[in-house]
Amino acid sequence: MDPLHTQHGLSESEASAEAQRLIDDWASRPVRHHPTSFRDKTKPPAFGTTPPVKQEDHRIVPAWAAGIAVASIGVGAGSVGLGCCTWLVLNGLASVTLNSVLMVTLPLAGLAMIVTAIGGAISKARAAITTNVYEAPVTQHTMIDNSSTTRGMFFARSRNTIR
């Protein structure tokens, strides 16, 4: 049984006429177009006040994610810098000689001596100024209250109150 050459109740000319009628019926219907975009072709005024137009915010990445990305880039750059500093220090320490140690420590020792001398001079100048003169009899009463508590085997608390 061949479906292309089988007659289903219509002759060849009738089938051709029916096909032409169906095609004409389909072609006579209007084609529906659905617009996918719109462009406003009116020109904006050359001068004057223009009302504000709301600009939609269409960000691809949330603000918190962008902040984390920038922070991670900064941390990465900082760690590279620390790594370079560490490499330089360790490379310098690998070639330590007596002369290099003296060259590094002598200026620091000199600076420490100057700071100590200045601090000593300031403390002596202050000590010479203060004089305390007591003209009344001085009595001192001291009471010490001790209390200690122990919880468990290892934790102990002692309180000393001096009055």
Side-chain angles (χ1 to χ4, degrees):
M1 192 180 218
D2 188 9
L4 294 176
H5 299 292
T6 307
Q7 298 277 336
H8 295 286
L10 296 176
S11 65
E12 189 73 27
S13 62
E14 289 174 342
S16 177
E18 182 64 19
Q20 188 61 39
R21 186 190 67 77
L22 289 174
I23 290 172
D24 290 340
D25 181 44
W26 174 80
S28 67
R29 293 184 188 159
V31 179
R32 294 188 180 157
H33 294 286
H34 300 285
T36 57
S37 65
F38 172 75
R39 182 178 296 258
D40 188 7
K41 295 182 180 178
T42 58
K43 292 190 176 186
F47 59 89
T49 58
T50 305
V53 177
K54 181 170 174 54
Q55 302 291 323
E56 294 296 326
D57 189 11
H58 297 289
R59 292 185 185 164
I60 296 172
V61 179
W64 62 268
I68 289 175
V70 169
S72 65
I73 290 171
V75 168
S79 66
V80 168
L82 288 175
C84 290
C85 289
T86 304
W87 180 80
L88 287 171
V89 167
L90 293 178
N91 195 14
L93 289 175
S95 61
V96 172
T97 61
L98 179 61
N99 291 335
S100 65
V101 170
L102 290 176
M103 286 300 166
V104 170
T105 57
L106 281 178
L108 296 175
L111 182 65
M113 284 177 26
I114 291 172
V115 168
T116 304
I118 292 172
I122 291 173
S123 69
K124 283 187 178 185
R126 281 185 167 179
I129 293 173
T130 53
T131 56
N132 295 326
V133 178
Y134 297 106
E135 295 180 3
V138 176
T139 58
Q140 181 177 359
H141 298 285
T142 305
M143 290 180 61
I144 300 174
D145 295 331
N146 292 328
S147 66
S148 65
T149 57
T150 304
R151 289 185 188 166
M153 186 178 223
F154 297 108
F155 301 106
R157 182 192 316 200
S158 297
R159 271 184 205 216
N160 297 325
T161 306
I162 300 173
R163 288 187 244 158

